[in-house]
């Protein structure tokens, strides 16, 4: 599952729990990597990656693993959902990043404000304070124009495109300290808003891309969607290997019985119109045998690990799989079990 960072197979967290539980079930079922590959659509190397914690399995992988181990897949699927949910959780952005961005923009905005504007001189501040008696009816006409009482009338204003405008004179240019403080506060607020906007537009989309990348599970082989071209059919499958002829892809267990914990199965492929016998969870020396009503038969013995299967017998309209018997035997215990019951007595 390209995916997020993987935990070690035995580590803590949902991933570690999933890998540990899968290994426990494999050991309890006495399934080797080779047998898992034979019973599923995944190779031995794929199972090594799944069970050693190098790759997160898909839901199909979990279901096939549970079927091979003859266990309930729901607990494993629940662990898988927890592991995937943890991988898909987007990483939180450090608060310091947003704070640093917001702080840097206001600093620039504050620097851009007219803080360097010269403060009024003490003489000008003295001139702004009216003296008693100057605000009477004979006050200068400049008082009616908004100038401070007692201030001298302005001289001729310099002309020309580059001539500076006197401080405190002209529309929209008041020299009050309150106005400068208000303008600085507005610059700081604008900078903070701009920093938040940069955080939303630049940082969070990058985090969303990371979360989307983590959400992509690793690709896993799936069951073929189109019909598989098999290598034989009916009588031409007689005594051939089912996997060599690709008959295992649509195979299903049509008969099953048990002997001392050993599973004895009759497998049927509709595409190949053939059957074969299989035993699982047995010991070295245990055998499986199949026989049809025409007297054809085949037998297989466990020579290593715990499973084996026979070659195929043909199924046809006049000799369907219902007419074929499968038996499993434990020679060391001199015991045998058949399905249908008692059909074969070697």
């Amino acid at each position: 599952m390209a995916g997020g960072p993987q935990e070690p197979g035995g580590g803590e967290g949902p991933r570690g729990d999933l890998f540990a539980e899968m290994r426990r079930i494999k050991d309890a079922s006495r399934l080797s990597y080779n047998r898992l590959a034979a019973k599923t659509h995944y190779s031995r190397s794929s199972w090594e990656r799944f069970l050693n914690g190098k790759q997160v399995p898909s839901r199909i992988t979990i279901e096939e693993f549970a079927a091979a181990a003859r266990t309930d897949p729901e607990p494993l699927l629940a662990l898988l959902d927890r592991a995937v949910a943890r991988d898909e959780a987007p990483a939180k952005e450090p608060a310091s990043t947003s704070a640093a961005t917001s702080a840097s923009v206001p600093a620039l905005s504050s620097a851009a404000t007219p803080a360097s504007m010269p403060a009024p001189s003490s003489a000008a501040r003295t001139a702004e304070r009216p003296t008693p008696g100057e605000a009477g009816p004979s006050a200068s006409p400049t008082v009616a124009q908004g100038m401070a009482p007692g201030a001298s009338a302005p001289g001729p204003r310099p002309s020309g495109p580059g001539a500076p405008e006197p401080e405190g004179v002209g529309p929209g240019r008041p020299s009050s300290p309150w106005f400068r403080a208000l303008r600085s506060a507005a610059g700081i607020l604008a900078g903070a808003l701009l920093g938040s906007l940069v955080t939303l537009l630049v940082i969070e989309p990058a985090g969303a891309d990371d979360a989307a990348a983590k959400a992509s599970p690793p690709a896993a082989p799936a069951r073929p969607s189109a019909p598989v071209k098999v290598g034989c059919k009916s009588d031409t499958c007689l005594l051939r290997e089912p996997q060599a002829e690709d008959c295992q892809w649509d195979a299903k267990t049509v008969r099953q019985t048990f002997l001392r914990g050993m599973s004895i199965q009759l497998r049927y492929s509709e595409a190949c119109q053939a059957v074969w016998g299989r035993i699982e969870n047995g010991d070295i020396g245990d055998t499986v045998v199949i026989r049809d009503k025409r007297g054809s038969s085949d037998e297989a013995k466990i020579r290593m690990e715990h499973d084996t299967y026979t070659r195929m017998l043909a199924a046809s309209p006049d000799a369907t799989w219902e007419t074929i018997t499968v038996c499993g035997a434990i020679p060391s215990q001199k015991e045998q079990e058949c399905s249908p019951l008692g059909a074969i007595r070697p």
Side-chain angles (χ1 to χ4, degrees), residues 46-66:
S46 296
W47 283 116
E48 288 178 347
R49 290 195 300 273
F50 294 144
L51 293 167
N52 291 331
K54 298 177 182 178
Q55 181 178 348
V56 177
S58 66
R59 295 184 69 87
I60 295 177
T61 308
I62 293 294
E63 291 170 356
E64 291 201 18
F65 174 77

PDB file of all heavy atoms in Angstrom, residues 46-66:
ATOM      1  N   SER A  46       5.256 -12.404  -1.847  1.00  0.00           N
ATOM      2  CA  SER A  46       4.223 -11.471  -1.387  1.00  0.00           C
ATOM      3  C   SER A  46       3.815 -11.782   0.042  1.00  0.00           C
ATOM      4  O   SER A  46       3.672 -10.887   0.884  1.00  0.00           O
ATOM      5  CB  SER A  46       3.003 -11.546  -2.312  1.00  0.00           C
ATOM      6  OG  SER A  46       3.318 -11.120  -3.601  1.00  0.00           O
ATOM      7  N   TRP A  47       3.653 -13.080   0.342  1.00  0.00           N
ATOM      8  CA  TRP A  47       3.263 -13.444   1.715  1.00  0.00           C
ATOM      9  C   TRP A  47       4.368 -13.124   2.698  1.00  0.00           C
ATOM     10  O   TRP A  47       4.110 -12.771   3.850  1.00  0.00           O
ATOM     11  CB  TRP A  47       2.886 -14.928   1.777  1.00  0.00           C
ATOM     12  CG  TRP A  47       1.524 -15.177   1.208  1.00  0.00           C
ATOM     13  CD1 TRP A  47       1.204 -15.917   0.109  1.00  0.00           C
ATOM     14  CD2 TRP A  47       0.289 -14.663   1.704  1.00  0.00           C
ATOM     15  NE1 TRP A  47      -0.140 -15.907  -0.112  1.00  0.00           N
ATOM     16  CE2 TRP A  47      -0.734 -15.140   0.854  1.00  0.00           C
ATOM     17  CE3 TRP A  47      -0.059 -13.840   2.778  1.00  0.00           C
ATOM     18  CZ2 TRP A  47      -2.072 -14.826   1.050  1.00  0.00           C
ATOM     19  CZ3 TRP A  47      -1.392 -13.520   2.975  1.00  0.00           C
ATOM     20  CH2 TRP A  47      -2.385 -14.015   2.113  1.00  0.00           C
ATOM     21  N   GLU A  48       5.614 -13.251   2.288  1.00  0.00           N
ATOM     22  CA  GLU A  48       6.712 -12.871   3.183  1.00  0.00           C
ATOM     23  C   GLU A  48       6.654 -11.384   3.506  1.00  0.00           C
ATOM     24  O   GLU A  48       6.874 -10.972   4.650  1.00  0.00           O
ATOM     25  CB  GLU A  48       8.050 -13.231   2.546  1.00  0.00           C
ATOM     26  CG  GLU A  48       8.312 -14.735   2.513  1.00  0.00           C
ATOM     27  CD  GLU A  48       9.641 -15.056   1.834  1.00  0.00           C
ATOM     28  OE1 GLU A  48      10.205 -14.154   1.195  1.00  0.00           O
ATOM     29  OE2 GLU A  48      10.102 -16.203   1.949  1.00  0.00           O
ATOM     30  N   ARG A  49       6.329 -10.560   2.496  1.00  0.00           N
ATOM     31  CA  ARG A  49       6.223  -9.117   2.756  1.00  0.00           C
ATOM     32  C   ARG A  49       5.037  -8.820   3.676  1.00  0.00           C
ATOM     33  O   ARG A  49       5.140  -7.994   4.591  1.00  0.00           O
ATOM     34  CB  ARG A  49       6.072  -8.352   1.442  1.00  0.00           C
ATOM     35  CG  ARG A  49       7.328  -8.335   0.589  1.00  0.00           C
ATOM     36  CD  ARG A  49       7.232  -7.286  -0.500  1.00  0.00           C
ATOM     37  NE  ARG A  49       6.112  -7.514  -1.400  1.00  0.00           N
ATOM     38  CZ  ARG A  49       6.176  -8.294  -2.473  1.00  0.00           C
ATOM     39  NH1 ARG A  49       7.295  -8.921  -2.768  1.00  0.00           N
ATOM     40  NH2 ARG A  49       5.125  -8.439  -3.261  1.00  0.00           N
ATOM     41  N   PHE A  50       3.876  -9.471   3.420  1.00  0.00           N
ATOM     42  CA  PHE A  50       2.700  -9.214   4.251  1.00  0.00           C
ATOM     43  C   PHE A  50       2.940  -9.595   5.707  1.00  0.00           C
ATOM     44  O   PHE A  50       2.597  -8.851   6.625  1.00  0.00           O
ATOM     45  CB  PHE A  50       1.496 -10.003   3.710  1.00  0.00           C
ATOM     46  CG  PHE A  50       1.028  -9.559   2.348  1.00  0.00           C
ATOM     47  CD1 PHE A  50       0.548 -10.488   1.418  1.00  0.00           C
ATOM     48  CD2 PHE A  50       1.063  -8.235   1.979  1.00  0.00           C
ATOM     49  CE1 PHE A  50       0.117 -10.091   0.166  1.00  0.00           C
ATOM     50  CE2 PHE A  50       0.633  -7.823   0.730  1.00  0.00           C
ATOM     51  CZ  PHE A  50       0.168  -8.754  -0.172  1.00  0.00           C
ATOM     52  N   LEU A  51       3.526 -10.766   5.931  1.00  0.00           N
ATOM     53  CA  LEU A  51       3.635 -11.296   7.289  1.00  0.00           C
ATOM     54  C   LEU A  51       4.845 -10.764   8.042  1.00  0.00           C
ATOM     55  O   LEU A  51       4.898 -10.877   9.271  1.00  0.00           O
ATOM     56  CB  LEU A  51       3.693 -12.828   7.233  1.00  0.00           C
ATOM     57  CG  LEU A  51       2.385 -13.480   6.744  1.00  0.00           C
ATOM     58  CD1 LEU A  51       2.594 -14.938   6.419  1.00  0.00           C
ATOM     59  CD2 LEU A  51       1.287 -13.333   7.790  1.00  0.00           C
ATOM     60  N   ASN A  52       5.823 -10.187   7.330  1.00  0.00           N
ATOM     61  CA  ASN A  52       6.978  -9.602   7.994  1.00  0.00           C
ATOM     62  C   ASN A  52       6.838  -8.101   8.182  1.00  0.00           C
ATOM     63  O   ASN A  52       7.778  -7.440   8.615  1.00  0.00           O
ATOM     64  CB  ASN A  52       8.260  -9.905   7.205  1.00  0.00           C
ATOM     65  CG  ASN A  52       8.615 -11.379   7.277  1.00  0.00           C
ATOM     66  OD1 ASN A  52       8.286 -12.043   8.250  1.00  0.00           O
ATOM     67  ND2 ASN A  52       9.270 -11.900   6.252  1.00  0.00           N
ATOM     68  N   GLY A  53       5.657  -7.541   7.830  1.00  0.00           N
ATOM     69  CA  GLY A  53       5.406  -6.132   8.091  1.00  0.00           C
ATOM     70  C   GLY A  53       6.006  -5.182   7.080  1.00  0.00           C
ATOM     71  O   GLY A  53       6.097  -3.990   7.348  1.00  0.00           O
ATOM     72  N   LYS A  54       6.414  -5.688   5.901  1.00  0.00           N
ATOM     73  CA  LYS A  54       6.999  -4.804   4.895  1.00  0.00           C
ATOM     74  C   LYS A  54       5.954  -4.179   3.986  1.00  0.00           C
ATOM     75  O   LYS A  54       6.242  -3.216   3.290  1.00  0.00           O
ATOM     76  CB  LYS A  54       8.010  -5.582   4.042  1.00  0.00           C
ATOM     77  CG  LYS A  54       9.180  -6.129   4.855  1.00  0.00           C
ATOM     78  CD  LYS A  54      10.105  -6.947   3.971  1.00  0.00           C
ATOM     79  CE  LYS A  54      11.246  -7.550   4.788  1.00  0.00           C
ATOM     80  NZ  LYS A  54      12.128  -8.398   3.951  1.00  0.00           N
ATOM     81  N   GLN A  55       4.755  -4.736   3.943  1.00  0.00           N
ATOM     82  CA  GLN A  55       3.690  -4.224   3.073  1.00  0.00           C
ATOM     83  C   GLN A  55       2.345  -4.485   3.731  1.00  0.00           C
ATOM     84  O   GLN A  55       2.124  -5.564   4.281  1.00  0.00           O
ATOM     85  CB  GLN A  55       3.754  -4.900   1.698  1.00  0.00           C
ATOM     86  CG  GLN A  55       2.681  -4.405   0.732  1.00  0.00           C
ATOM     87  CD  GLN A  55       2.814  -5.076  -0.638  1.00  0.00           C
ATOM     88  OE1 GLN A  55       3.806  -5.721  -0.916  1.00  0.00           O
ATOM     89  NE2 GLN A  55       1.830  -4.914  -1.468  1.00  0.00           N
ATOM     90  N   VAL A  56       1.470  -3.472   3.702  1.00  0.00           N
ATOM     91  CA  VAL A  56       0.129  -3.630   4.287  1.00  0.00           C
ATOM     92  C   VAL A  56      -0.745  -4.401   3.303  1.00  0.00           C
ATOM     93  O   VAL A  56      -0.845  -4.030   2.126  1.00  0.00           O
ATOM     94  CB  VAL A  56      -0.502  -2.261   4.580  1.00  0.00           C
ATOM     95  CG1 VAL A  56      -1.921  -2.424   5.120  1.00  0.00           C
ATOM     96  CG2 VAL A  56       0.333  -1.506   5.594  1.00  0.00           C
ATOM     97  N   PRO A  57      -1.371  -5.490   3.721  1.00  0.00           N
ATOM     98  CA  PRO A  57      -2.225  -6.256   2.802  1.00  0.00           C
ATOM     99  C   PRO A  57      -3.520  -5.518   2.507  1.00  0.00           C
ATOM    100  O   PRO A  57      -3.951  -4.634   3.258  1.00  0.00           O
ATOM    101  CB  PRO A  57      -2.486  -7.557   3.578  1.00  0.00           C
ATOM    102  CG  PRO A  57      -2.360  -7.166   5.008  1.00  0.00           C
ATOM    103  CD  PRO A  57      -1.321  -6.096   5.061  1.00  0.00           C
ATOM    104  N   SER A  58      -4.176  -5.898   1.406  1.00  0.00           N
ATOM    105  CA  SER A  58      -5.483  -5.344   1.069  1.00  0.00           C
ATOM    106  C   SER A  58      -6.580  -6.198   1.709  1.00  0.00           C
ATOM    107  O   SER A  58      -6.310  -7.239   2.310  1.00  0.00           O
ATOM    108  CB  SER A  58      -5.663  -5.319  -0.454  1.00  0.00           C
ATOM    109  OG  SER A  58      -5.708  -6.645  -0.958  1.00  0.00           O
ATOM    110  N   ARG A  59      -7.825  -5.750   1.572  1.00  0.00           N
ATOM    111  CA  ARG A  59      -8.948  -6.513   2.123  1.00  0.00           C
ATOM    112  C   ARG A  59      -9.062  -7.878   1.434  1.00  0.00           C
ATOM    113  O   ARG A  59      -9.377  -8.878   2.080  1.00  0.00           O
ATOM    114  CB  ARG A  59     -10.248  -5.717   1.967  1.00  0.00           C
ATOM    115  CG  ARG A  59     -10.284  -4.433   2.781  1.00  0.00           C
ATOM    116  CD  ARG A  59     -11.633  -3.744   2.660  1.00  0.00           C
ATOM    117  NE  ARG A  59     -12.683  -4.503   3.329  1.00  0.00           N
ATOM    118  CZ  ARG A  59     -12.980  -4.380   4.609  1.00  0.00           C
ATOM    119  NH1 ARG A  59     -12.306  -3.552   5.377  1.00  0.00           N
ATOM    120  NH2 ARG A  59     -13.960  -5.092   5.146  1.00  0.00           N
ATOM    121  N   ILE A  60      -8.816  -7.919   0.117  1.00  0.00           N
ATOM    122  CA  ILE A  60      -8.869  -9.197  -0.603  1.00  0.00           C
ATOM    123  C   ILE A  60      -7.798 -10.139  -0.069  1.00  0.00           C
ATOM    124  O   ILE A  60      -8.030 -11.341   0.118  1.00  0.00           O
ATOM    125  CB  ILE A  60      -8.696  -8.960  -2.117  1.00  0.00           C
ATOM    126  CG1 ILE A  60      -9.878  -8.145  -2.670  1.00  0.00           C
ATOM    127  CG2 ILE A  60      -8.568 -10.274  -2.860  1.00  0.00           C
ATOM    128  CD1 ILE A  60      -9.751  -7.797  -4.119  1.00  0.00           C
ATOM    129  N   THR A  61      -6.602  -9.579   0.204  1.00  0.00           N
ATOM    130  CA  THR A  61      -5.527 -10.403   0.755  1.00  0.00           C
ATOM    131  C   THR A  61      -5.924 -11.007   2.095  1.00  0.00           C
ATOM    132  O   THR A  61      -5.710 -12.195   2.354  1.00  0.00           O
ATOM    133  CB  THR A  61      -4.258  -9.556   0.927  1.00  0.00           C
ATOM    134  OG1 THR A  61      -3.977  -8.889  -0.300  1.00  0.00           O
ATOM    135  CG2 THR A  61      -3.084 -10.426   1.309  1.00  0.00           C
ATOM    136  N   ILE A  62      -6.522 -10.176   2.971  1.00  0.00           N
ATOM    137  CA  ILE A  62      -6.945 -10.649   4.295  1.00  0.00           C
ATOM    138  C   ILE A  62      -7.986 -11.754   4.149  1.00  0.00           C
ATOM    139  O   ILE A  62      -7.944 -12.781   4.842  1.00  0.00           O
ATOM    140  CB  ILE A  62      -7.507  -9.485   5.115  1.00  0.00           C
ATOM    141  CG1 ILE A  62      -6.396  -8.483   5.446  1.00  0.00           C
ATOM    142  CG2 ILE A  62      -8.163  -9.980   6.394  1.00  0.00           C
ATOM    143  CD1 ILE A  62      -5.337  -9.003   6.359  1.00  0.00           C
ATOM    144  N   GLU A  63      -8.960 -11.563   3.253  1.00  0.00           N
ATOM    145  CA  GLU A  63     -10.018 -12.560   3.084  1.00  0.00           C
ATOM    146  C   GLU A  63      -9.453 -13.885   2.565  1.00  0.00           C
ATOM    147  O   GLU A  63      -9.844 -14.963   3.027  1.00  0.00           O
ATOM    148  CB  GLU A  63     -11.084 -12.011   2.139  1.00  0.00           C
ATOM    149  CG  GLU A  63     -11.889 -10.864   2.755  1.00  0.00           C
ATOM    150  CD  GLU A  63     -12.774 -10.175   1.736  1.00  0.00           C
ATOM    151  OE1 GLU A  63     -12.703 -10.535   0.541  1.00  0.00           O
ATOM    152  OE2 GLU A  63     -13.538  -9.266   2.130  1.00  0.00           O
ATOM    153  N   GLU A  64      -8.513 -13.824   1.610  1.00  0.00           N
ATOM    154  CA  GLU A  64      -7.924 -15.064   1.111  1.00  0.00           C
ATOM    155  C   GLU A  64      -7.060 -15.735   2.182  1.00  0.00           C
ATOM    156  O   GLU A  64      -7.028 -16.966   2.295  1.00  0.00           O
ATOM    157  CB  GLU A  64      -7.090 -14.774  -0.136  1.00  0.00           C
ATOM    158  CG  GLU A  64      -7.931 -14.371  -1.345  1.00  0.00           C
ATOM    159  CD  GLU A  64      -7.186 -14.578  -2.653  1.00  0.00           C
ATOM    160  OE1 GLU A  64      -6.190 -15.333  -2.663  1.00  0.00           O
ATOM    161  OE2 GLU A  64      -7.602 -13.995  -3.662  1.00  0.00           O
ATOM    162  N   PHE A  65      -6.346 -14.919   2.981  1.00  0.00           N
ATOM    163  CA  PHE A  65      -5.536 -15.477   4.063  1.00  0.00           C
ATOM    164  C   PHE A  65      -6.416 -16.193   5.089  1.00  0.00           C
ATOM    165  O   PHE A  65      -6.109 -17.303   5.531  1.00  0.00           O
ATOM    166  CB  PHE A  65      -4.749 -14.351   4.732  1.00  0.00           C
ATOM    167  CG  PHE A  65      -3.976 -14.785   5.951  1.00  0.00           C
ATOM    168  CD1 PHE A  65      -2.789 -15.487   5.833  1.00  0.00           C
ATOM    169  CD2 PHE A  65      -4.451 -14.497   7.225  1.00  0.00           C
ATOM    170  CE1 PHE A  65      -2.085 -15.890   6.955  1.00  0.00           C
ATOM    171  CE2 PHE A  65      -3.751 -14.895   8.347  1.00  0.00           C
ATOM    172  CZ  PHE A  65      -2.561 -15.598   8.208  1.00  0.00           C
ATOM    173  N   ALA A  66      -7.542 -15.554   5.465  1.00  0.00           N
ATOM    174  CA  ALA A  66      -8.443 -16.163   6.444  1.00  0.00           C
ATOM    175  C   ALA A  66      -9.054 -17.454   5.895  1.00  0.00           C
ATOM    176  O   ALA A  66      -9.218 -18.437   6.617  1.00  0.00           O
ATOM    177  CB  ALA A  66      -9.536 -15.172   6.843  1.00  0.00           C
TER     178      ALA A  66
END
